[in-house]
Amino acid sequence: MNPASFIQCFLLENLDIRGSIVRLTGVWRALLHNRAYPAAVAKLLGEMAAVSAVIAGNLKQSGRLTFQIQGSGPVSLLVVDCTASLNLRGYAKAGPGAGIADGDSLSLVGGGRLQLSLETEGLGQPYQSFVPLAGGSIADIFTCYLEQSGQQPARLWLACDETASAALFLQKLPGADARDADGWTRITTLADTVKPGELLVLTSPALLHRLFTEEDVRLYAARAVTHHWPPEPEKVAAMLRTVGEKEIRAALAERGELVIRDELSNHTYRFGSKDIDAIFQLRTLH
């Protein structure tokens, strides 16, 4: 039985075409918790979360993957971060509701770029790359990225609503044309018939049977995608200590309370005078 949020890879054995199915349910609802995103903003973030899980789950060398889309439109930032164990988090930064309407167009982001950061063991510095925001959708942008990084044709189909986000990924392997010269065209034409509701609801076997009835499909075991980012008040306290007691107490006197927001993990930390006393007394004791 598949986990509630998962990635499941497959291979069309006679065609040398590989693929993955991602469905995020509980993870997606956790990303939406206490966030009042307009529907169009949530759709962009949900699609980006699903495709980030696709890419993290297909890395040749596992590591921590972070995608950022920065733009000049009403949605100025989309971020998804996924660890090697497929622990995922993310958020969107959007301006006031003006200019944000229902839809799936990247016009909400405006001009900008996609940035990838990959941290793997053995690398001193994270690997980074940049991709222009080509096309009119999240699927278009990440298809461009996948084809550049894998140097093979790739396609993505994405879906998202308030309960789930999902992705279907296909990539042509180097030997595909020798196996079947028309295979890639046939398979992508069949995949183009997929409906968003099918991506969001059907099990992996049912979806693959619905799309590729005549093909031999090897379906691998699903891997769970999670969202487990508990509050870390100790780290926030350590950050405040690095700022300095004088500066922190001045800010506290001005505001009455310090509020630190961790957007990526979706936590808010509040510090009053007794909390600040404890933080700096602890440092003095040590």
Side-chain angles (χ1 to χ4, degrees), residues 201-254:
V201 173
L202 291 181
T203 65
S204 299
L207 180 62
L208 294 172
H209 179 74
R210 147 74 177 89
L211 295 175
F212 313 126
T213 307
E214 304 298 324
E215 305 299 333
D216 292 328
V217 182
R218 181 191 299 180
L219 184 60
Y220 299 96
R223 296 175 61 195
V225 181
T226 61
H227 174 81
H228 180 67
W229 298 93
E232 297 182 292
E234 298 84 4
K235 285 190 176 182
V236 179
M239 180 272 293
L240 294 177
R241 286 194 288 271
T242 63
V243 173
E245 183 173 2
K246 181 178 179 181
E247 290 78 4
I248 293 300
R249 291 196 181 278
L252 181 64
E254 179 182 349

Side-chain angles (χ1 to χ4, degrees), residues 122-143:
L123 289 179
Q125 296 292 328
Y127 167 79
Q128 292 189 327
S129 66
F130 301 91
V131 178
L133 301 187
S137 68
I138 294 292
D140 289 340
I141 294 173
F142 280 90
T143 296

Side-chain angles (χ1 to χ4, degrees), residues 55-108:
I55 295 171
N58 280 279
L59 288 174
K60 293 179 181 178
Q61 183 178 1
S62 62
R64 184 176 196 145
L65 186 66
T66 304
F67 282 111
Q68 293 187 50
I69 292 179
Q70 296 176 300
S72 56
V75 181
S76 58
L77 184 65
L78 294 162
V79 182
V80 177
D81 175 68
C82 191
T83 70
S85 62
L86 302 182
N87 187 13
L88 186 146
R89 58 183 175 169
Y91 83 102
K93 183 178 181 181
I100 298 179
D102 288 347
D104 57 359
S105 171
L106 276 180
S107 61
L108 292 175

Side-chain angles (χ1 to χ4, degrees), residues 269-280:
Y269 302 89
R270 299 181 180 276
F271 298 88
S273 58
K274 290 184 179 179
D275 302 310
I276 299 304
D277 288 344
I279 287 171
F280 287 101

